[in-house]
Amino acid sequence: MTNRCVSHSSYTMNDGAMFHESNRDSDLAPQWDELILDSMHPNVFLTWDWVSIWVKWFASQKKLRIIQVWDGSQLIGILPLYLGPVELFPGISVEGLKFIGDGDVVFPDFLGPIIRKGCLDSVLSCLQDVFASDNKDYRFLRLADMDLASEGTRCLVDGLSRGIRSETIPGDVCPYIEFSGNYESFLASLNSKRRSSIKSNDKKAFSNFHVRLECYQTLDKVDEAFELIIQIFSKATRGQDKVKGFLRKDYAGFHKEVARAFARKGWLRIYILHYNDIPVAYLYGYVFNKAFWFYQTSYDLAYKEYTPGAVALQQVIKSLIDEGAEKFDFLRGDEAYKLKICTGHKQLTTAYIFRDKSSLYSFYKWGRNMKHFLSSTKKILMEKTERLLSRPVDGAGSPEA
């Protein structure tokens, strides 16, 4: 490797875009996305558009630390971080370095470094040097929602935590389907009970309604698609939570801006299922690197009897297979409808890496243990209360009462 250098950069926001403080005319976007496509593990949540839009909406006042590794004029590695508060114990937060995307109301998965194929050792060596010599304006790193099955991410965590105090905590499961063949092949891979359920759901829907799936993926359709998403989402919540998901202005605004950016690149997929021309369900996600990244779904509760969510999912899977997708990534969540048809799953992991030998690590461990104790105690008390309330009294529940 020749002329290898590390750029440990601070960035600021200007009119919604990220700029390097030392050269505000430089635009890292083309090199960033070229690196993503040639990286060891291409991830739609690490693309320039997702990262820069997330910063605009949720971290515009934060101090960004975007570490770049260059080989001459070629960008070979990026570690996108920012300095922000981390709650180590309920009500008590400490400044730490976190992945861009970690925090607030959106939840991207598989965060980590972006490393060009064939450059793993060089990039990791540079990153370790950075953190060994870096200033001390932060005391620990919280590296959240990683896939440690990814070689680059696993090696980064191992390298940074070597010889110092650290802890890894398992998180959510992320099921996925790997396609091989056509839709009929996919159905054949399921057990007979699942195939029967899919057939029954389809029969009930198609015999009662004119069923139509529409895909919104172009820039001129984004506003219309989000109007339908919000309409369906509001009917799914039935007023139970007016500040959740797409009913939040920041959440909806962020996703609409991402949708526009991804539509320009051909990545956006918003599927709306109609029963008799009435929108009853949606699936929202992205097609990137021959995979569908499934972000969210919901359906109108008034049509629950006709399983619009299940019908929409199967129609989308068929459409994606016809399009040439090789994988359906459900992302985080172990809901039954995912596990019944997935072919495998990944495990998200969060690592806490402490830089010094101060009392911070001891405080963190005490907080974790106390949180576990309180959670266990609450569970035990709830179980005992439930048993007491369900105990029959004065002959109640007996045939003679």
Side-chain angles (χ1 to χ4, degrees):
M1 176 166 262
T2 60
N3 300 323
R4 184 183 70 197
C5 68
V6 176
S7 174
H8 187 186
S9 309
S10 295
Y11 282 72
T12 56
M13 297 298 296
N14 183 18
D15 296 329
M18 287 195 299
F19 288 90
H20 192 295
E21 287 183 345
S22 63
N23 182 3
R24 298 181 68 85
D25 294 324
S26 67
D27 185 357
L28 192 60
Q31 297 99 318
W32 186 303
D33 278 344
E34 186 276 330
L35 172 62
I36 277 281
L37 295 175
D38 193 40
S39 66
M40 297 173 64
H41 302 282
N43 181 351
V44 74
F45 300 124
L46 293 176
T47 59
W48 173 267
D49 286 323
W50 180 281
V51 169
S52 60
I53 295 170
W54 188 91
V55 168
K56 172 186 172 181
W57 280 89
F58 304 114
S60 62
Q61 304 302 314
K62 303 295 184 182
K63 186 174 183 180
L64 307 184
R65 293 289 193 84
I66 300 178
I67 304 171
Q68 308 159 39
V69 182
W70 295 80
D71 178 15
S73 61
Q74 185 182 46
L75 183 63
I76 62 171
I78 297 174
L79 187 63
L81 305 169
Y82 76 103
L83 191 64
V86 178
E87 189 174 70
L88 294 184
F89 191 72
I92 301 177
S93 297
V94 179
E95 290 284 295
L97 275 182
K98 306 189 285 185
F99 286 131
I100 291 178
D102 172 21
D104 230 284
V105 298
V106 297
F107 300 97
D109 295 335
F110 314 132
L111 300 178
I114 308 169
I115 302 175
R116 191 177 295 276
K117 295 173 185 175
C119 299
L120 176 62
D121 291 341
S122 298
V123 171
L124 291 180
S125 176
C126 286
L127 293 177
Q128 287 178 243
D129 289 346
V130 166
F131 285 100
S133 60
D134 191 21
N135 62 54
K136 302 297 191 292
D137 62 347
Y138 66 95
R139 299 173 66 184
F140 70 100
L141 292 91
R142 168 190 152 97
L143 304 179
D145 300 327
M146 302 177 294
D147 173 20
L148 291 187
S150 162
E151 183 182 8
T153 303
R154 184 179 66 253
C155 291
L156 174 69
V157 172
D158 290 345
L160 295 183
S161 60
R162 189 175 295 121
I164 61 176
R165 292 171 170 175
S166 63
E167 183 176 17
T168 56
I169 303 169
D172 290 328
V173 168
C174 299
Y176 61 83
I177 307 169
E178 289 185 332
F179 300 129
S180 57
N182 56 24
Y183 181 67
E184 286 67 30
S185 300
F186 162 70
L187 289 177
S189 69
L190 306 176
N191 62 45
S192 58
K193 183 177 180 180
R194 195 71 209 136
R195 289 197 302 272
S196 177
S197 176
I198 291 171
K199 184 177 180 180
S200 175
N201 290 338
D202 285 351
K203 182 179 179 180
K204 193 169 187 179
F206 280 86
S207 62
N208 284 278
F209 305 100
H210 170 63
V211 178
R212 176 171 58 90
L213 182 73
E214 188 168 1
C215 180
Y216 295 76
Q217 60 187 90
T218 58
L219 185 59
D220 62 313
K221 292 289 187 178
V222 169
D223 288 343
E224 179 183 349
F226 270 80
E227 286 178 7
L228 293 173
I229 283 177
I230 293 170
Q231 175 184 328
I232 296 167
F233 190 87
S234 63
K235 292 180 179 179
T237 59
R238 293 298 182 196
Q240 295 173 11
D241 193 339
K242 296 184 181 298
V243 291
K244 179 180 178 182
F246 286 107
L247 301 184
R248 283 186 58 141
K249 289 184 178 180
D250 54 354
Y251 185 94
F254 165 79
H255 279 289
K256 188 178 288 189
E257 188 166 345
V258 167
R260 291 193 181 107
F262 283 7
R264 293 186 185 99
K265 295 183 176 178
W267 300 344
L268 178 66
R269 297 294 184 278
I270 297 175
Y271 298 93
I272 306 292
L273 184 74
H274 296 78
Y275 284 174
N276 290 345
D277 293 325
I278 298 173
V280 294
Y282 71 84
L283 271 82
Y284 163 55
Y286 322 111
V287 169
F288 177 77
N289 195 40
K290 297 183 179 180
F292 179 67
W293 302 67
F294 167 65
Y295 197 86
Q296 195 185 87
T297 186
S298 196
Y299 65 88
D300 186 341
L301 290 174
Y303 291 86
K304 184 177 181 179
E305 178 185 355
Y306 301 99
T307 60
V311 172
L313 177 58
Q314 291 305 314
Q315 293 297 306
V316 168
I317 288 175
K318 185 177 186 304
S319 176
L320 288 167
I321 291 174
D322 291 343
E323 184 180 337
E326 298 176 357
K327 187 177 183 181
F328 190 115
D329 203 321
F330 281 108
L331 303 180
R332 71 179 67 199
D334 58 355
E335 294 87 348
Y337 76 90
K338 299 179 181 180
L339 299 179
K340 288 176 181 178
I341 61 175
C342 73
T343 59
H345 69 271
K346 298 178 182 179
Q347 175 85 55
L348 293 179
T349 301
T350 294
Y352 289 85
I353 302 173
F354 294 83
R355 296 195 50 160
D356 53 40
K357 296 181 179 180
S358 69
S359 59
L360 184 60
Y361 176 76
S362 299
F363 176 75
Y364 161 77
K365 290 294 292 183
W366 179 81
R368 288 271 302 164
N369 293 335
M370 180 60 68
K371 186 176 180 180
H372 177 71
F373 169 76
L374 293 174
S375 177
S376 300
T377 302
K378 180 180 178 181
K379 183 179 179 181
I380 292 170
L381 290 174
M382 289 179 66
E383 290 174 349
K384 287 185 176 181
T385 302
E386 186 176 346
R387 285 197 297 269
L388 286 172
L389 292 175
S390 62
R391 182 181 299 170
V393 294
D394 296 330
S398 66
E400 294 78 18

